[in-house]
Amino acid sequence: MTAATHAIAVPPGRIERVFLITVVVLALGWSLVIARDRLTWLLEVVWVIAALPLLAWRWSNFPLTRLLCWLLAAHALVLIYGGAYTYAQTPLGFWLRDLFDFERNPWDRVGHLMQGFVPAILARELLLRLTPLRRGGWLVYLVLAACLSFSAFFELIEWWSALAFGADADAFLATQGDVWDTQWDMFLCLLGAIASLLLWSRLHDRQLGPAVTANGPHGLGEA
């Protein structure tokens, strides 16, 4: 690993980091207390539980950009909220259903949209900082491919959970009778990833800084 891999221009400040961690940890504790189904809660929030110590362990050598930290916190809150109530029973989901006249609680759709929206910037940051890849078409393609591959892996996890836990995994699956639920999940992940790249790429480049985004001698794609 070279110095350029961690010499980003705009990491979050200490107070900002403490604030984000505190919000996520408090939300995690609250969700555990009110969780309607502890198995579903664990399956939904295990990503947050695993990510927090990993980020803390690697932070001094590999701090993340401010943008990515805020996005990760937002994604964690979506997962925690879904885990607390189960995705098919979230109050905000029912509010969205009534507001837009949906046929079902759409909170799982929000979750899968975020499954592309946030990991797209995570994948973009890791690829730019840890590989010779540069900005351009190949970067976009690999970011989208990474998001879709994780979405497909998550669908496999849902399948394995159904095989392992049977009816106890119904709340985790949250299909709500939709036979196209898997396809919708992956499609929304792709839309979220595309939207995130369109919305955040320039800001992300500024926060990464020229030490990361400048074309290297082995770079791929456009400048």
Side-chain angles (χ1 to χ4, degrees):
M1 182 183 294
T2 66
T5 61
H6 55 79
I8 56 174
V10 188
R14 183 176 181 276
I15 294 177
E16 197 172 2
R17 296 198 308 272
V18 170
F19 170 75
L20 291 175
I21 292 170
T22 300
V23 168
V24 171
V25 170
L26 288 177
L28 197 60
W30 161 81
S31 69
L32 175 60
V33 171
I34 71 163
R36 296 185 177 183
D37 181 331
R38 292 294 172 85
L39 174 61
T40 300
W41 176 85
L42 180 60
L43 291 172
E44 297 293 359
V45 306
V46 65
W47 312 100
V48 181
I49 295 172
L52 285 173
L54 177 61
L55 288 174
W57 172 52
R58 294 296 299 161
W59 188 265
S60 60
N61 292 320
F62 200 85
L64 304 177
T65 58
R66 173 181 289 169
L67 171 64
L68 181 55
C69 288
W70 279 89
L71 288 175
L72 288 172
H75 195 184
L77 293 178
V78 170
L79 294 173
I80 291 168
Y81 189 69
Y85 290 99
T86 75
Y87 277 82
Q89 300 295 324
T90 52
L92 276 178
F94 286 130
W95 178 77
L96 289 172
R97 182 197 64 182
D98 296 339
L99 179 65
F100 295 105
D101 197 27
F102 292 140
E103 295 182 355
R104 67 199 293 279
N105 188 313
W107 195 254
D108 64 319
R109 307 295 198 213
V110 175
H112 284 281
L113 192 70
M114 290 292 283
Q115 193 181 68
F117 193 79
V118 176
I121 299 303
L122 174 61
R124 189 177 192 271
E125 184 153 329
L126 294 178
L127 286 170
L128 284 173
R129 295 174 67 182
L130 297 176
T131 77
L133 192 66
R134 299 294 92 193
R135 294 171 295 166
W138 277 109
L139 176 63
V140 172
Y141 168 75
L142 289 175
V143 166
L144 296 181
C147 292
L148 272 178
S149 65
F150 180 76
S151 180
F153 178 63
F154 191 84
E155 297 303 322
L156 291 177
I157 292 176
E158 290 187 344
W159 172 44
W160 295 331
S161 299
L163 293 176
F165 300 112
D168 291 337
D170 286 349
F172 176 59
L173 297 177
T175 59
Q176 300 181 67
D178 185 355
V179 297
W180 302 109
D181 185 70
T182 298
Q183 288 78 8
W184 269 112
D185 290 350
M186 297 182 67
F187 176 64
L188 288 170
C189 174
L190 177 61
L191 286 185
I194 293 171
S196 187
L197 290 179
L198 290 173
L199 182 62
W200 298 122
S201 288
R202 290 191 177 185
L203 175 61
H204 193 218
D205 285 343
R206 291 196 296 271
Q207 293 195 4
L208 287 170
V212 175
T213 58
N215 279 335
H218 303 293
L220 298 175
E222 300 175 354

